[in-house]
Amino acid sequence: MALVFRSIDEAQPGPKLAGLFAEYWPAYRKWWAQEGYSARPTYRECLRALQKHMPEIMPLYEEVVELVGGSDSQARFLSFYCPPKYLSGCSQAIWRGKTPFLVRNYDYHPKTFDAALLKTHWDGRGVIGMSDGVLGLLDGINDAGLTVSLTFGGRREVGDGFGVPLILRYILQTCETTAEAVDCLCRIPCHMSYNVTVLDAKHNHSTVYLAPDRHPQISDQPVATNHQGHVEWSTHARFTATVERERFLLNRLNQNPESEKRFIDAFLRPPLYSTAFKSGFGTLYTAVYRPASRQLQLLWPGANWDLSFDNFSEGELSLLLPEHAEPAV
């Protein structure tokens, strides 16, 4: 199974972004309309929700909608309002040494993944992040050094709210500190349960447990896997080994403090690194975000990219993923 990662540098929404959207729109549309167009909110409902909860992003949203074609379904999709449900794995942790950083594994199906790292300067704010649905982000950092990353929260409930990738984009476009990001996470409704970890340039961090059916919970936990305090979906927890991964990370952070390199390298091996690609929970990349220096690394077994706001080059990296392996847990 081949996967090609791309790094794309385009300061303002333009032909590169439009091309990326056009390439993936057939797959986006199939996923978004899987339950029928009437199952998704109307354009008016999407617009009202954006205006109420994320008004600062409205001009950008309208510009991107127009850029990619401006159809009703495209506009509704790009609002990320009440999308279909989706599940992922993922592990993330903050190394709390002299200069803290955030490291994460993104576990998902390779055929439903943008595989594009975007560097943008929309509305005067520099952002580098892993694209999801072109407007959304799975993780990223802005030019103020604020870093955010998500993991699935391990709960079945679905409600009215936004897909969390747009919330992450909004945070990086409008916030500079962990406190500001946490305020956004606590007031913007999320349609499913997700854990969002935030780290800023002054080393402040929080993890916020989002859910559609209860108030957000704020934690100083430096680790997030795929549950929120305790396991609420036992089948998913067993399959993804969320408790084992959390315990493994906490032990490495608290009981056996180790070097940066050893801690990062642990994400490239079981139990954190998963090869369950055909089941939709394989580790597609490891990312290391360093807020103090505004730098990031993308890592895979045997390959890596080192990037920053001052040193960002466009390119491609082809990877071969094992097709039949399952997680070693």
Side-chain angles (χ1 to χ4, degrees):
M1 188 181 300
L3 183 62
V4 179
F5 274 81
R6 288 172 284 182
S7 56
I8 299 172
D9 186 352
E10 188 172 51
Q12 302 303 321
K16 295 177 185 178
L17 192 73
L20 184 66
F21 186 87
E23 179 181 345
Y24 285 113
W25 174 235
Y28 291 156
R29 179 170 51 194
K30 182 179 179 180
W31 169 78
W32 178 80
Q34 62 188 265
E35 300 165 302
Y37 285 86
S38 62
R40 307 273 67 84
T42 65
Y43 172 66
R44 186 179 296 275
E45 290 169 332
C46 295
L47 209 61
R48 262 201 305 264
L50 282 169
Q51 290 169 337
K52 178 179 180 180
H53 297 289
M54 293 184 273
E56 299 92 337
I57 211 169
M58 281 299 300
L60 174 61
Y61 164 76
E62 291 171 341
E63 182 179 0
V64 173
V65 168
E66 185 69 22
L67 174 72
V68 303
S71 74
D72 175 75
S73 55
Q74 290 169 334
R76 292 158 68 191
F77 168 80
L78 284 168
S79 75
F80 282 74
Y81 186 58
C82 295
K85 62 182 179 181
Y86 42 84
L87 311 179
S88 62
C90 311
S91 307
Q92 59 199 27
I94 293 171
W95 188 81
R96 296 179 295 183
K98 183 178 180 181
T99 307
F101 58 82
L102 188 150
V103 56
R104 68 98 97 253
N105 277 3
Y106 181 67
D107 304 340
Y108 203 55
H109 200 292
K111 292 185 177 179
T112 53
F113 172 52
D114 288 5
L117 186 74
L118 302 182
K119 179 175 182 279
T120 57
H121 202 261
W122 300 342
D123 296 331
R125 168 68 73 193
V127 173
I128 301 175
M130 194 63 73
S131 170
D132 187 66
V134 173
L135 260 186
L137 294 172
L138 303 170
D139 46 70
I141 185 170
N142 67 19
D143 54 12
L146 182 66
T147 296
V148 293
S149 181
L150 65 86
T151 72
F152 177 57
R155 303 178 70 242
R156 291 188 179 91
E157 289 74 13
V158 181
D160 292 340
F162 294 93
V164 71
L166 186 67
I167 299 175
L168 265 59
R169 164 64 74 178
Y170 175 78
I171 286 170
L172 291 181
Q173 291 295 141
T174 63
C175 301
E176 296 189 354
T177 67
T178 292
E180 292 171 353
V182 169
D183 285 345
C184 289
L185 291 166
C186 288
R187 68 172 176 79
I188 300 172
C190 186
H191 90 301
M192 290 186 70
S193 296
Y194 280 89
N195 310 323
V196 179
T197 299
V198 187
L199 175 66
D200 65 23
K202 294 185 177 179
H203 308 161
N204 301 304
H205 71 85
S206 287
T207 293
V208 182
Y209 301 141
L210 303 177
D213 58 338
R214 62 192 185 198
H215 294 298
Q217 303 171 52
I218 304 170
S219 170
D220 62 358
Q221 174 84 292
V223 169
T225 52
N226 304 125
H227 57 285
Q228 299 185 333
H230 63 280
V231 169
E232 299 178 63
W233 186 358
S234 58
T235 304
H236 183 272
R238 285 195 300 271
F239 181 74
T240 61
T242 179
V243 173
E244 292 84 354
R245 287 182 286 119
E246 180 188 58
R247 187 179 300 126
F248 176 82
L249 282 168
L250 288 172
N251 284 341
R252 296 190 80 98
L253 286 170
N254 298 327
Q255 295 183 15
N256 301 297
E258 56 192 354
S259 69
E260 292 186 15
K261 185 178 186 306
R262 285 179 59 85
F263 186 68
I264 294 168
D265 286 348
F267 280 77
L268 299 174
R269 302 188 301 270
L272 302 181
Y273 185 86
S274 169
T275 54
F277 296 104
K278 292 196 73 174
S279 301
F281 293 95
T283 299
L284 299 180
Y285 65 92
T286 299
V288 182
Y289 287 98
R290 301 178 184 275
S293 58
R294 281 65 165 173
Q295 295 176 317
L296 66 142
Q297 289 176 297
L298 294 181
L299 302 168
W300 303 268
N304 68 280
W305 272 352
D306 294 295
L307 301 153
S308 68
F309 286 97
D310 296 328
N311 183 23
F312 188 99
S313 58
E314 292 191 317
E316 292 187 355
L317 177 66
S318 297
L319 300 171
L320 287 177
L321 307 176
E323 292 196 56
H324 304 294
E326 289 298 314
V329 296

